[in-house]
Amino acid sequence: MSVATLEVRNLQTHFFTRAGVVKAVDGVSFTVGRGKVLGLVGESGSGKTVTGFSIIGLVDEPGRVVGGEILFHGQNLARLSEEEMRQLRGNRIAMIFQDPMMTLNPVLRIDTQMIETVLAHTKVSHEEARQRCRDTLGMVGIPSPEERLKSYPHQFSGGMRQRVAIAIALLHRPELIIADEPTTALDVTIQGQILAEVQKLAINTGTSLIWITHDLSVVAGLADDIAVMYAGRVVEDGPVSEVLDKPLHPYTHGLIGSVPSRNKRGEPLRQIPGMTPSLLKLPPGCAFRSRCDRATAECAAPIELMELTLGRHARCIHPHMEAVAA
Amino acid sequence: MTVYLLRRLLQALLVMLAMSLIVFVGVYAIGDPVEILISPDADQMERERAIKALGLDLPLWQQYLTFLFRAVQGDLGRSFVFNEPALQLILQKMPATLELAVGATFMAVLIGLPLGLYAGLKPDSAGSKAIMAGSILGFSLPTFWVGLMLIMVFAVQLGWLPSTGRGETAQFLGLRWSFLTRDGIAHLIMPAVNLSLFKISLVVRLTRSGVRETMLMDYVKFARAKGLSPRRVTYVHVFKNILIPVVTVVGLELGSTIAFSVVTESIFAWPGMGKLIIDSINVLDRPVIVAYLMIIVMMFIVINLAVDLLYSTLDPRVRLEGKS
């Protein structure tokens, strides 16, 4: 088996605030194979965005990657210098952000913002760089790219801006794209278009994708594998269809149950009671146990991610095994 | 664009008209210049002759209309005291004030912007803390006191710089300027520094807060995620965004320095417009006061227009056409 594009092992990213140490990411592990799409799912504050920023080396003060390995083609990114990281960013690893209205600099033209990305990593003439930008804009479905290059971000709609951001991410044909909820701020129809576009590009170019989202329906259609995060940890992972059909961890179970379309009409919508615990003083053991209907006294002891069935892991001692067994 | 400029011009005329009326009535209300201008021992006949000669015998509205009629033709009246056209009097003093104000503003931008940038990028470093503490001093120390201290240290004790006057001047565009001669520049340094302290502090604080705010924006993080060098992120992505508030404030500051640098001009005996206007107010030299304020209003209008035009080049989202 060839080396995976990205292998994250026991990643720990902590924020050293005045109120104490916030363990935003505390022991996250997953693997993304070449050309594969990993859905990283979780609620707000579960650490999925910080995980993304940790991989690309953009965790801001007072946060720091304090432990674990981020192996990109076997090379540990956590050990690289800032300049070595800069050469990777936007070149071999790209990132797409959540809010397309905020990711493009409002006072710079699209061509400036694209061409600078090309020139940051390759020595080509300005004209060649421009040509490359024009082609990439066309590739992500922007009509008359030559004219659009001369526009400013505010002259684009949200969906178009996200296409520009995706084009920027694709300029160097990266091996890995980290997409942080890139369709959350968009209309459903635009969301569908962008998803289809990205999927097509990933298949055509062999790019691996980490798709960070809280929307299970997006992951269901797009991802090969899924990792569910809760309070800074991966609580369950496995192939997407199996995890969504037969969730093992009670949290995943509740999350899937909370999707409104899965509920029966006329019945009150199902929900997970309570709220995510504060990351400042996380109790040992299962972080979900205060909201879990299966919790027992044993759940207060530390629990590792365990392989429960072939290719499927969960961090739980009372998993929903009956579904798998059946 | 043309429509926009025309509308701005029309607005400017209306503002100037309103301003002239307010100033005219205001100065009239302050007091009667006759009491100051005419010697107390003059007899009634002389008094009335003088009043008539100055045009002060007419009712206020007639005086105003006369003023307005002449103003349209470019005549803002003659000084009661110097018996010279008020406009000419002011324009003679203008270069002195202009070079002082522009010098101080330049200094504020050249010093304040880099310091603010540094303080914004490294907010926790000792240097930044020193800069911010210094800016509090710059804000709160009274100008006259700083001016006196400067004179005491650099003119009296060290003897490096002259303390009063403009020094040698040279002719340029038909006006006399100090900044063209060595001696003139030596004279200019202290008053300009004195005036710029407050402005440097202002620019430092504005730049710092702008940088800190902008650094948190998604587009800065995205720029870094593109693999741009830190230098490019700072000087292109951040810098262009923080210039917008800085330009606004510096523009307004330039205007108010030209108009109201009275204290500094008095301390350094700098023969500028500030000193002229204070003297004119003391003797109620109405034409000079009115003309001066009209010029100041016009200057503010021009500066504001320049700032707006600069805006539209800095921020593409600003449309000058406005609402139609």
mmCIF file of all heavy atoms in Angstrom, chain A residues 278-319:
data_model
loop_
_atom_site.group_PDB
_atom_site.id
_atom_site.type_symbol
_atom_site.label_atom_id
_atom_site.label_comp_id
_atom_site.label_asym_id
_atom_site.label_seq_id
_atom_site.Cartn_x
_atom_site.Cartn_y
_atom_site.Cartn_z
ATOM 1 N N SER A 278 -17.598 22.916 28.138
ATOM 2 C CA SER A 278 -16.524 23.897 27.983
ATOM 3 C C SER A 278 -15.196 23.184 27.829
ATOM 4 O O SER A 278 -14.882 22.252 28.584
ATOM 5 C CB SER A 278 -16.478 24.807 29.208
ATOM 6 O OG SER A 278 -15.221 25.424 29.284
ATOM 7 N N LEU A 279 -14.423 23.609 26.829
ATOM 8 C CA LEU A 279 -13.143 22.943 26.582
ATOM 9 C C LEU A 279 -12.103 23.324 27.624
ATOM 10 O O LEU A 279 -11.024 22.770 27.673
ATOM 11 C CB LEU A 279 -12.639 23.308 25.189
ATOM 12 C CG LEU A 279 -13.491 22.773 24.033
ATOM 13 C CD1 LEU A 279 -13.010 23.343 22.717
ATOM 14 C CD2 LEU A 279 -13.427 21.256 23.992
ATOM 15 N N LEU A 280 -12.458 24.327 28.451
ATOM 16 C CA LEU A 280 -11.509 24.794 29.466
ATOM 17 C C LEU A 280 -11.290 23.756 30.552
ATOM 18 O O LEU A 280 -10.189 23.527 31.010
ATOM 19 C CB LEU A 280 -12.033 26.077 30.098
ATOM 20 C CG LEU A 280 -11.426 27.375 29.571
ATOM 21 C CD1 LEU A 280 -12.063 28.557 30.258
ATOM 22 C CD2 LEU A 280 -9.920 27.379 29.757
ATOM 23 N N LYS A 281 -12.376 23.163 31.027
ATOM 24 C CA LYS A 281 -12.206 22.139 32.066
ATOM 25 C C LYS A 281 -13.000 20.901 31.671
ATOM 26 O O LYS A 281 -14.085 20.644 32.159
ATOM 27 C CB LYS A 281 -12.656 22.663 33.430
ATOM 28 C CG LYS A 281 -13.832 23.628 33.398
ATOM 29 C CD LYS A 281 -14.141 24.111 34.786
ATOM 30 C CE LYS A 281 -15.386 24.962 34.825
ATOM 31 N NZ LYS A 281 -15.182 26.288 34.259
ATOM 32 N N LEU A 282 -12.373 20.187 30.738
ATOM 33 C CA LEU A 282 -12.984 18.967 30.238
ATOM 34 C C LEU A 282 -12.721 17.855 31.242
ATOM 35 O O LEU A 282 -11.586 17.617 31.614
ATOM 36 C CB LEU A 282 -12.351 18.631 28.886
ATOM 37 C CG LEU A 282 -13.225 18.037 27.799
ATOM 38 C CD1 LEU A 282 -14.503 18.843 27.608
ATOM 39 C CD2 LEU A 282 -12.455 17.993 26.501
ATOM 40 N N PRO A 283 -13.759 17.164 31.708
ATOM 41 C CA PRO A 283 -13.520 16.081 32.670
ATOM 42 C C PRO A 283 -12.821 14.917 31.971
ATOM 43 O O PRO A 283 -12.916 14.778 30.749
ATOM 44 C CB PRO A 283 -14.934 15.694 33.110
ATOM 45 C CG PRO A 283 -15.807 16.102 31.977
ATOM 46 C CD PRO A 283 -15.170 17.280 31.333
ATOM 47 N N PRO A 284 -12.085 14.082 32.707
ATOM 48 C CA PRO A 284 -11.501 12.891 32.075
ATOM 49 C C PRO A 284 -12.620 11.956 31.629
ATOM 50 O O PRO A 284 -13.765 12.096 32.055
ATOM 51 C CB PRO A 284 -10.655 12.280 33.189
ATOM 52 C CG PRO A 284 -11.244 12.792 34.457
ATOM 53 C CD PRO A 284 -11.816 14.138 34.141
ATOM 54 N N GLY A 285 -12.272 11.022 30.776
ATOM 55 C CA GLY A 285 -13.285 10.086 30.295
ATOM 56 C C GLY A 285 -14.024 10.649 29.106
ATOM 57 O O GLY A 285 -13.564 11.574 28.442
ATOM 58 N N CYS A 286 -15.176 10.074 28.830
ATOM 59 C CA CYS A 286 -15.956 10.453 27.663
ATOM 60 C C CYS A 286 -16.562 11.838 27.855
ATOM 61 O O CYS A 286 -17.277 12.080 28.828
ATOM 62 C CB CYS A 286 -17.060 9.427 27.415
ATOM 63 S SG CYS A 286 -18.095 9.849 26.014
ATOM 64 N N ALA A 287 -16.274 12.765 26.921
ATOM 65 C CA ALA A 287 -16.762 14.137 27.054
ATOM 66 C C ALA A 287 -18.263 14.218 26.801
ATOM 67 O O ALA A 287 -18.914 15.194 27.160
ATOM 68 C CB ALA A 287 -16.017 15.041 26.075
ATOM 69 N N PHE A 288 -18.813 13.151 26.203
ATOM 70 C CA PHE A 288 -20.226 13.182 25.817
ATOM 71 C C PHE A 288 -21.125 12.588 26.902
ATOM 72 O O PHE A 288 -22.339 12.649 26.826
ATOM 73 C CB PHE A 288 -20.397 12.414 24.492
ATOM 74 C CG PHE A 288 -21.781 12.477 23.915
ATOM 75 C CD1 PHE A 288 -22.344 13.695 23.537
ATOM 76 C CD2 PHE A 288 -22.534 11.322 23.740
ATOM 77 C CE1 PHE A 288 -23.619 13.752 23.009
ATOM 78 C CE2 PHE A 288 -23.815 11.378 23.206
ATOM 79 C CZ PHE A 288 -24.353 12.598 22.845
ATOM 80 N N ARG A 289 -20.513 12.047 27.971
ATOM 81 C CA ARG A 289 -21.310 11.225 28.873
ATOM 82 C C ARG A 289 -22.423 11.991 29.583
ATOM 83 O O ARG A 289 -23.454 11.422 29.923
ATOM 84 C CB ARG A 289 -20.420 10.514 29.891
ATOM 85 C CG ARG A 289 -19.740 11.415 30.904
ATOM 86 C CD ARG A 289 -18.998 10.540 31.923
ATOM 87 N NE ARG A 289 -18.550 11.321 33.045
ATOM 88 C CZ ARG A 289 -17.404 11.986 33.083
ATOM 89 N NH1 ARG A 289 -16.601 11.949 32.043
ATOM 90 N NH2 ARG A 289 -17.081 12.685 34.151
ATOM 91 N N SER A 290 -22.237 13.322 29.793
ATOM 92 C CA SER A 290 -23.290 14.072 30.485
ATOM 93 C C SER A 290 -24.540 14.215 29.622
ATOM 94 O O SER A 290 -25.623 14.510 30.111
ATOM 95 C CB SER A 290 -22.765 15.450 30.883
ATOM 96 O OG SER A 290 -22.368 16.146 29.734
ATOM 97 N N ARG A 291 -24.420 13.983 28.323
ATOM 98 C CA ARG A 291 -25.577 14.119 27.431
ATOM 99 C C ARG A 291 -26.030 12.767 26.898
ATOM 100 O O ARG A 291 -26.921 12.696 26.045
ATOM 101 C CB ARG A 291 -25.201 15.012 26.239
ATOM 102 C CG ARG A 291 -24.713 16.381 26.651
ATOM 103 C CD ARG A 291 -24.076 17.110 25.482
ATOM 104 N NE ARG A 291 -25.067 17.591 24.539
ATOM 105 C CZ ARG A 291 -24.752 18.198 23.382
ATOM 106 N NH1 ARG A 291 -23.493 18.351 23.037
ATOM 107 N NH2 ARG A 291 -25.701 18.620 22.587
ATOM 108 N N CYS A 292 -25.402 11.705 27.347
ATOM 109 C CA CYS A 292 -25.587 10.399 26.724
ATOM 110 C C CYS A 292 -26.564 9.559 27.545
ATOM 111 O O CYS A 292 -26.459 9.490 28.772
ATOM 112 C CB CYS A 292 -24.228 9.705 26.638
ATOM 113 S SG CYS A 292 -24.293 8.088 25.875
ATOM 114 N N ASP A 293 -27.516 8.885 26.881
ATOM 115 C CA ASP A 293 -28.471 8.067 27.629
ATOM 116 C C ASP A 293 -27.912 6.675 27.951
ATOM 117 O O ASP A 293 -28.531 5.885 28.654
ATOM 118 C CB ASP A 293 -29.805 7.955 26.865
ATOM 119 C CG ASP A 293 -29.604 7.512 25.434
ATOM 120 O OD1 ASP A 293 -28.450 7.178 25.079
ATOM 121 O OD2 ASP A 293 -30.593 7.510 24.676
ATOM 122 N N ARG A 294 -26.730 6.376 27.419
ATOM 123 C CA ARG A 294 -26.133 5.073 27.706
ATOM 124 C C ARG A 294 -25.019 5.167 28.747
ATOM 125 O O ARG A 294 -24.382 4.165 29.045
ATOM 126 C CB ARG A 294 -25.526 4.486 26.432
ATOM 127 C CG ARG A 294 -26.562 4.203 25.361
ATOM 128 C CD ARG A 294 -25.901 3.511 24.177
ATOM 129 N NE ARG A 294 -26.917 2.810 23.425
ATOM 130 C CZ ARG A 294 -26.763 1.609 22.890
ATOM 131 N NH1 ARG A 294 -25.606 0.987 23.004
ATOM 132 N NH2 ARG A 294 -27.724 1.033 22.228
ATOM 133 N N ALA A 295 -24.752 6.366 29.229
ATOM 134 C CA ALA A 295 -23.593 6.559 30.092
ATOM 135 C C ALA A 295 -23.722 5.796 31.401
ATOM 136 O O ALA A 295 -24.802 5.671 31.976
ATOM 137 C CB ALA A 295 -23.430 8.043 30.387
ATOM 138 N N THR A 296 -22.583 5.248 31.840
ATOM 139 C CA THR A 296 -22.507 4.583 33.137
ATOM 140 C C THR A 296 -21.299 5.135 33.879
ATOM 141 O O THR A 296 -20.574 5.981 33.347
ATOM 142 C CB THR A 296 -22.333 3.067 32.970
ATOM 143 O OG1 THR A 296 -21.145 2.848 32.199
ATOM 144 C CG2 THR A 296 -23.524 2.435 32.292
ATOM 145 N N ALA A 297 -21.067 4.632 35.066
ATOM 146 C CA ALA A 297 -19.948 5.112 35.877
ATOM 147 C C ALA A 297 -18.613 4.857 35.184
ATOM 148 O O ALA A 297 -17.670 5.644 35.311
ATOM 149 C CB ALA A 297 -19.965 4.439 37.243
ATOM 150 N N GLU A 298 -18.520 3.773 34.396
ATOM 151 C CA GLU A 298 -17.250 3.445 33.736
ATOM 152 C C GLU A 298 -16.837 4.504 32.726
ATOM 153 O O GLU A 298 -15.666 4.618 32.377
ATOM 154 C CB GLU A 298 -17.351 2.088 33.007
ATOM 155 C CG GLU A 298 -17.377 0.867 33.909
ATOM 156 C CD GLU A 298 -18.798 0.548 34.354
ATOM 157 O OE1 GLU A 298 -19.590 0.130 33.502
ATOM 158 O OE2 GLU A 298 -19.095 0.761 35.543
ATOM 159 N N CYS A 299 -17.803 5.279 32.227
ATOM 160 C CA CYS A 299 -17.497 6.261 31.184
ATOM 161 C C CYS A 299 -16.602 7.384 31.696
ATOM 162 O O CYS A 299 -16.073 8.172 30.921
ATOM 163 C CB CYS A 299 -18.775 6.864 30.615
ATOM 164 S SG CYS A 299 -19.810 5.668 29.782
ATOM 165 N N ALA A 300 -16.454 7.497 33.026
ATOM 166 C CA ALA A 300 -15.619 8.561 33.580
ATOM 167 C C ALA A 300 -14.133 8.244 33.443
ATOM 168 O O ALA A 300 -13.296 9.114 33.633
ATOM 169 C CB ALA A 300 -15.971 8.797 35.044
ATOM 170 N N ALA A 301 -13.798 6.994 33.112
ATOM 171 C CA ALA A 301 -12.394 6.642 32.906
ATOM 172 C C ALA A 301 -12.005 6.990 31.466
ATOM 173 O O ALA A 301 -12.848 6.953 30.572
ATOM 174 C CB ALA A 301 -12.210 5.152 33.161
ATOM 175 N N PRO A 302 -10.711 7.325 31.228
ATOM 176 C CA PRO A 302 -10.282 7.660 29.854
ATOM 177 C C PRO A 302 -10.588 6.533 28.883
ATOM 178 O O PRO A 302 -10.415 5.360 29.211
ATOM 179 C CB PRO A 302 -8.769 7.855 30.010
ATOM 180 C CG PRO A 302 -8.566 8.199 31.440
ATOM 181 C CD PRO A 302 -9.634 7.485 32.205
ATOM 182 N N ILE A 303 -11.061 6.900 27.679
ATOM 183 C CA ILE A 303 -11.444 5.898 26.691
ATOM 184 C C ILE A 303 -10.670 6.176 25.406
ATOM 185 O O ILE A 303 -10.584 7.311 24.952
ATOM 186 C CB ILE A 303 -12.962 5.972 26.402
ATOM 187 C CG1 ILE A 303 -13.751 5.694 27.691
ATOM 188 C CG2 ILE A 303 -13.355 4.986 25.304
ATOM 189 C CD1 ILE A 303 -15.200 6.088 27.599
ATOM 190 N N GLU A 304 -10.062 5.136 24.844
ATOM 191 C CA GLU A 304 -9.320 5.286 23.590
ATOM 192 C C GLU A 304 -10.233 5.002 22.406
ATOM 193 O O GLU A 304 -11.284 4.381 22.546
ATOM 194 C CB GLU A 304 -8.141 4.314 23.573
ATOM 195 C CG GLU A 304 -7.052 4.648 24.573
ATOM 196 C CD GLU A 304 -6.456 6.026 24.325
ATOM 197 O OE1 GLU A 304 -6.097 6.318 23.152
ATOM 198 O OE2 GLU A 304 -6.351 6.830 25.267
ATOM 199 N N LEU A 305 -9.778 5.447 21.230
ATOM 200 C CA LEU A 305 -10.473 5.102 19.998
ATOM 201 C C LEU A 305 -10.181 3.627 19.720
ATOM 202 O O LEU A 305 -9.039 3.207 19.629
ATOM 203 C CB LEU A 305 -9.930 5.973 18.861
ATOM 204 C CG LEU A 305 -10.765 6.143 17.607
ATOM 205 C CD1 LEU A 305 -12.093 6.812 17.929
ATOM 206 C CD2 LEU A 305 -10.009 6.981 16.584
ATOM 207 N N MET A 306 -11.267 2.815 19.640
ATOM 208 C CA MET A 306 -11.058 1.373 19.484
ATOM 209 C C MET A 306 -11.637 0.893 18.159
ATOM 210 O O MET A 306 -12.658 1.410 17.700
ATOM 211 C CB MET A 306 -11.779 0.626 20.616
ATOM 212 C CG MET A 306 -11.335 1.041 22.002
ATOM 213 S SD MET A 306 -12.382 0.318 23.257
ATOM 214 C CE MET A 306 -13.751 1.430 23.303
ATOM 215 N N GLU A 307 -10.976 -0.080 17.557
ATOM 216 C CA GLU A 307 -11.531 -0.677 16.352
ATOM 217 C C GLU A 307 -12.630 -1.640 16.773
ATOM 218 O O GLU A 307 -12.380 -2.629 17.472
ATOM 219 C CB GLU A 307 -10.452 -1.419 15.553
ATOM 220 C CG GLU A 307 -11.008 -2.048 14.289
ATOM 221 C CD GLU A 307 -9.954 -2.209 13.209
ATOM 222 O OE1 GLU A 307 -8.766 -2.186 13.535
ATOM 223 O OE2 GLU A 307 -10.339 -2.346 12.029
ATOM 224 N N LEU A 308 -13.874 -1.349 16.411
ATOM 225 C CA LEU A 308 -14.987 -2.167 16.868
ATOM 226 C C LEU A 308 -15.375 -3.214 15.833
ATOM 227 O O LEU A 308 -15.639 -4.360 16.162
ATOM 228 C CB LEU A 308 -16.183 -1.277 17.203
ATOM 229 C CG LEU A 308 -15.913 -0.338 18.401
ATOM 230 C CD1 LEU A 308 -17.097 0.561 18.651
ATOM 231 C CD2 LEU A 308 -15.582 -1.126 19.658
ATOM 232 N N THR A 309 -15.422 -2.791 14.578
ATOM 233 C CA THR A 309 -15.566 -3.777 13.498
ATOM 234 C C THR A 309 -14.533 -3.406 12.459
ATOM 235 O O THR A 309 -13.827 -2.406 12.613
ATOM 236 C CB THR A 309 -16.970 -3.734 12.854
ATOM 237 O OG1 THR A 309 -17.139 -2.457 12.249
ATOM 238 C CG2 THR A 309 -18.051 -3.983 13.875
ATOM 239 N N LEU A 310 -14.438 -4.138 11.396
ATOM 240 C CA LEU A 310 -13.390 -3.933 10.418
ATOM 241 C C LEU A 310 -13.440 -2.505 9.844
ATOM 242 O O LEU A 310 -14.445 -2.085 9.277
ATOM 243 C CB LEU A 310 -13.528 -4.968 9.290
ATOM 244 C CG LEU A 310 -12.321 -5.001 8.329
ATOM 245 C CD1 LEU A 310 -11.074 -5.481 9.077
ATOM 246 C CD2 LEU A 310 -12.627 -5.899 7.146
ATOM 247 N N GLY A 311 -12.339 -1.750 10.005
ATOM 248 C CA GLY A 311 -12.250 -0.406 9.430
ATOM 249 C C GLY A 311 -13.068 0.640 10.155
ATOM 250 O O GLY A 311 -13.191 1.759 9.675
ATOM 251 N N ARG A 312 -13.632 0.287 11.274
ATOM 252 C CA ARG A 312 -14.470 1.274 11.970
ATOM 253 C C ARG A 312 -14.014 1.426 13.410
ATOM 254 O O ARG A 312 -13.853 0.445 14.137
ATOM 255 C CB ARG A 312 -15.933 0.856 11.925
ATOM 256 C CG ARG A 312 -16.487 0.828 10.510
ATOM 257 C CD ARG A 312 -17.980 0.745 10.535
ATOM 258 N NE ARG A 312 -18.553 1.812 11.327
ATOM 259 C CZ ARG A 312 -19.848 1.910 11.591
ATOM 260 N NH1 ARG A 312 -20.677 0.987 11.153
ATOM 261 N NH2 ARG A 312 -20.314 2.898 12.305
ATOM 262 N N HIS A 313 -13.830 2.700 13.793
ATOM 263 C CA HIS A 313 -13.370 2.986 15.148
ATOM 264 C C HIS A 313 -14.396 3.850 15.864
ATOM 265 O O HIS A 313 -15.071 4.673 15.240
ATOM 266 C CB HIS A 313 -12.038 3.749 15.126
ATOM 267 C CG HIS A 313 -10.961 3.032 14.371
ATOM 268 N ND1 HIS A 313 -10.867 3.086 13.000
ATOM 269 C CD2 HIS A 313 -9.937 2.250 14.792
ATOM 270 C CE1 HIS A 313 -9.829 2.381 12.597
ATOM 271 N NE2 HIS A 313 -9.246 1.853 13.670
ATOM 272 N N ALA A 314 -14.469 3.663 17.187
ATOM 273 C CA ALA A 314 -15.297 4.566 17.992
ATOM 274 C C ALA A 314 -14.667 4.685 19.362
ATOM 275 O O ALA A 314 -13.984 3.762 19.837
ATOM 276 C CB ALA A 314 -16.728 4.057 18.104
ATOM 277 N N ARG A 315 -14.886 5.835 19.994
ATOM 278 C CA ARG A 315 -14.344 6.074 21.322
ATOM 279 C C ARG A 315 -15.498 5.900 22.308
ATOM 280 O O ARG A 315 -16.019 6.883 22.826
ATOM 281 C CB ARG A 315 -13.820 7.522 21.346
ATOM 282 C CG ARG A 315 -12.773 7.816 22.409
ATOM 283 C CD ARG A 315 -12.466 9.295 22.394
ATOM 284 N NE ARG A 315 -11.500 9.679 21.382
ATOM 285 C CZ ARG A 315 -10.178 9.717 21.576
ATOM 286 N NH1 ARG A 315 -9.686 9.400 22.747
ATOM 287 N NH2 ARG A 315 -9.370 10.099 20.626
ATOM 288 N N CYS A 316 -15.926 4.625 22.509
ATOM 289 C CA CYS A 316 -17.097 4.394 23.349
ATOM 290 C C CYS A 316 -17.061 2.969 23.899
ATOM 291 O O CYS A 316 -16.647 2.043 23.203
ATOM 292 C CB CYS A 316 -18.379 4.596 22.528
ATOM 293 S SG CYS A 316 -19.876 4.430 23.512
ATOM 294 N N ILE A 317 -17.492 2.838 25.150
ATOM 295 C CA ILE A 317 -17.554 1.482 25.713
ATOM 296 C C ILE A 317 -18.977 0.922 25.681
ATOM 297 O O ILE A 317 -19.207 -0.223 26.026
ATOM 298 C CB ILE A 317 -16.970 1.421 27.145
ATOM 299 C CG1 ILE A 317 -17.569 2.529 28.001
ATOM 300 C CG2 ILE A 317 -15.462 1.542 27.115
ATOM 301 C CD1 ILE A 317 -17.148 2.441 29.457
ATOM 302 N N HIS A 318 -19.948 1.761 25.294
ATOM 303 C CA HIS A 318 -21.329 1.256 25.124
ATOM 304 C C HIS A 318 -21.830 1.577 23.720
ATOM 305 O O HIS A 318 -22.837 2.255 23.564
ATOM 306 C CB HIS A 318 -22.272 1.904 26.139
ATOM 307 C CG HIS A 318 -21.798 1.785 27.550
ATOM 308 N ND1 HIS A 318 -21.697 0.577 28.183
ATOM 309 C CD2 HIS A 318 -21.417 2.721 28.444
ATOM 310 C CE1 HIS A 318 -21.267 0.768 29.424
ATOM 311 N NE2 HIS A 318 -21.080 2.064 29.603
ATOM 312 N N PRO A 319 -21.113 1.120 22.673
ATOM 313 C CA PRO A 319 -21.527 1.502 21.314
ATOM 314 C C PRO A 319 -22.818 0.806 20.880
ATOM 315 O O PRO A 319 -23.247 -0.165 21.502
ATOM 316 C CB PRO A 319 -20.340 1.039 20.460
ATOM 317 C CG PRO A 319 -19.752 -0.091 21.233
ATOM 318 C CD PRO A 319 -19.972 0.198 22.680
#
